[in-house]
Amino acid sequence: EAGVAQSPRYKIIEKRQSVAFWCNPISGHATLYWYQQILGQGPKLLIQFQNNGVVDDSQLPKDRFSAERLKGVDSTLKIQPAKLEDSAVYLCASSPIAGLEKLFFGSGTQLSVL
Amino acid sequence: QQQVKQSPQSLIVQKGGISIINCAYENTAFDYFPWYQQFPGKGPALLIAIRPDVSEKKEGRFTISFNKSAKQFSLHIMDSQPGDSATYFCAASSSGSARQLTFGSGTQLTVLP
């Protein structure tokens, strides 16, 4: 079974530039999550999708972050404009159904904002 | 109240020793407590999990001990191996939060050969 796919693996940008991350969850997984993991910290939830609808985006900085999950499959997370404090690993995770505790994580995209 | 506090931040253990990582929580609505293991360059992977209706769960060399009254839980790794060297995260969730996980800050475990 293929795992959660994320790209790119690494991204280096200057502050005020924009960046986008892509995630393809495990086939058939209805729930998709984006987490932000700052170095030395645990993952922090940014947004949760159930199929192509948003379940919770209360911790997403909506002035600069946006996310979509068209057709309920893959998802894109965008940052525009980026700030220095956005430097982190952005993890995508999926689970088969909402409320299922086990999450399957991708390897993440490491973002450096200079 | 959503915080999960984890300690120690880092841990060095000799091969064959016991590794112990502790977590504490405040939110009494939490009813699911997993531990995730993360290797460098990889995403976290579920290692073992417990619900508060039991005080201990064992899977191979990994054991979770749970103390509901103290609102604490811990991960014990018996006979620690160099391959166990990774970052370990405790987490917690509740049915009232759509099962969203709140993670601890992580413990970097190094097992010396």
Side-chain angles (χ1 to χ4, degrees):
Chain A
E1 179 182 70
V4 176
Q6 289 189 247
S7 67
R9 189 71 183 86
Y10 304 93
K11 191 72 177 180
I12 301 173
I13 62 173
E14 306 235 332
K15 61 182 179 183
R16 290 187 290 273
Q17 286 186 323
S18 62
V19 64
F21 314 124
W22 175 82
C23 172
N24 191 4
I26 293 173
S27 178
H29 280 199
T31 308
L32 184 148
Y33 308 80
W34 283 102
Y35 282 85
Q36 180 192 57
Q37 186 175 20
I38 293 173
L39 185 65
Q41 299 182 19
K44 171 190 163 187
L45 180 68
L46 292 175
I47 189 168
Q48 177 184 352
F49 291 95
Q50 175 67 18
N51 295 311
N52 61 347
V54 175
V55 173
D56 184 357
D57 63 358
S58 59
Q59 299 186 78
L60 188 73
K62 298 182 188 63
D63 57 334
R64 298 184 301 106
F65 286 65
S66 64
E68 60 182 11
R69 190 184 184 197
L70 299 177
K71 302 179 182 178
V73 181
D74 54 352
S75 176
T76 303
L77 176 69
K78 297 179 181 177
I79 308 175
Q80 182 180 10
K83 293 185 175 181
L84 296 177
E85 58 261 35
D86 297 333
S87 294
V89 175
Y90 291 85
L91 294 164
C92 179
S94 69
S95 67
I97 57 174
L100 186 68
E101 298 93 349
K102 183 176 181 179
L103 301 187
F104 297 81
F105 282 88
S107 295
T109 295
Q110 185 170 331
L111 173 67
S112 296
V113 182
L114 306 179
Chain B
Q1 195 175 20
Q2 288 294 323
Q3 264 191 323
V4 177
K5 295 182 179 180
Q6 183 172 347
S7 63
Q9 187 175 2
S10 63
L11 180 62
I12 299 175
V13 174
Q14 292 285 343
K15 178 182 175 182
I18 302 173
S19 305
I20 302 174
I21 305 170
N22 302 298
C23 283
Y25 63 97
E26 290 294 327
N27 188 350
T28 55
F30 286 147
D31 60 3
Y32 175 73
F33 302 90
W35 285 88
Y36 277 77
Q37 179 188 55
Q38 185 176 29
F39 292 104
K42 300 293 185 183
L46 180 64
L47 185 64
I48 187 173
I50 196 169
R51 298 187 187 280
D53 53 342
V54 296
S55 60
E56 185 175 284
K57 182 174 182 179
K58 183 176 181 179
E59 290 184 2
R61 296 184 294 108
F62 301 91
T63 300
I64 300 179
S65 296
F66 185 82
N67 186 330
K68 187 174 182 178
S69 60
K71 292 185 285 186
Q72 296 175 347
F73 59 109
S74 59
L75 176 69
H76 296 236
I77 306 174
M78 311 300 289
D79 186 27
S80 298
Q81 300 295 314
D84 297 330
S85 297
T87 300
Y88 292 81
F89 293 95
C90 62
S93 73
S94 67
S95 58
S97 64
R99 285 292 170 209
Q100 292 167 3
L101 291 172
T102 299
F103 284 88
S105 55
T107 296
Q108 187 169 341
L109 172 65
T110 302
V111 181
L112 301 177

